[in-house]
């Protein structure tokens, strides 16, 4: 969820990021939907619980619209940009795609 200014959440959600505008928050939301990020999280995630440490292999990105990633693209295209940015081989990409389902929401 993208939280509104002056909102709060319980321990059931982990707040990620603080941005000056809604576009950057939505860009982060898109990033979290990628197979790339969800694979990086899966390396350390061993249960349904999500603790902050599972994000330690997730690279920090520039979520501004002027980023090297076109955040206005679809999730599949953002994944392709991330695979290219981090020089993943076809074998690595195919492994990620075979292990991590698309987000359908």
């Amino acid at each position: 969820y993208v939280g509104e200014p002056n909102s709060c959440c319980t321990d059931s959600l982990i707040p990620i990021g603080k941005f000056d505008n809604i576009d950057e928050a939505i860009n982060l939301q898109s990033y979290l939907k990628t197979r790339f990020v969800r694979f990086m999280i899966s390396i350390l995630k061993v249960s349904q619980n999500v603790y902050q440490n599972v994000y330690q292999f997730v690279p920090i990105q520039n979520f501004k619209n002027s980023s090297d990633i076109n955040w206005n693209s679809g999730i599949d295209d953002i994944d392709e940009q991330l695979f290219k940015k981090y020089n993943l081989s076809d074998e690595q990409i195919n492994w990620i795609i075979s292990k991590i389902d698309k987000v359908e929401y």
Side-chain angles (χ1 to χ4, degrees):
Y1 303 98
V2 174
E4 297 293 325
N6 301 314
S7 64
C8 62
C9 66
T10 66
D11 287 339
S12 63
L13 299 173
I14 298 174
I16 301 173
K18 179 180 182 292
F19 301 102
D20 294 328
N21 64 63
I22 190 74
D23 289 340
E24 292 175 44
I26 291 170
N27 293 343
L28 168 61
Q29 187 178 49
S30 294
Y31 184 51
L32 294 173
K33 292 179 182 179
T34 64
R35 286 178 167 172
F36 175 81
V37 166
R38 291 180 306 113
F39 177 77
M40 300 306 277
I41 291 168
S42 76
I43 294 168
L44 295 174
K45 188 173 182 288
V46 295
S47 72
Q48 69 181 15
N49 299 318
V50 180
Y51 301 103
Q52 289 179 3
N53 71 313
V54 302
Y55 295 97
Q56 68 184 336
F57 295 140
V58 176
I60 296 172
Q61 303 295 325
N62 173 356
F63 295 109
K64 296 182 185 308
N65 288 329
S66 60
S67 169
D68 59 334
I69 301 295
N70 179 358
W71 299 113
N72 294 318
S73 301
I75 301 301
D76 290 342
D77 188 55
I78 293 170
D79 260 326
E80 290 298 323
Q81 293 175 66
L82 292 164
F83 295 153
K84 184 176 180 180
K85 179 177 181 172
Y86 293 103
N87 299 313
L88 273 64
S89 69
D90 288 342
E91 182 179 0
Q92 291 166 323
I93 293 168
N94 290 332
W95 175 261
I96 291 170
I97 290 171
S98 73
K99 299 298 178 191
I100 307 296
D101 291 332
K102 281 182 158 184
V103 170
E104 297 296 334
Y105 56 90

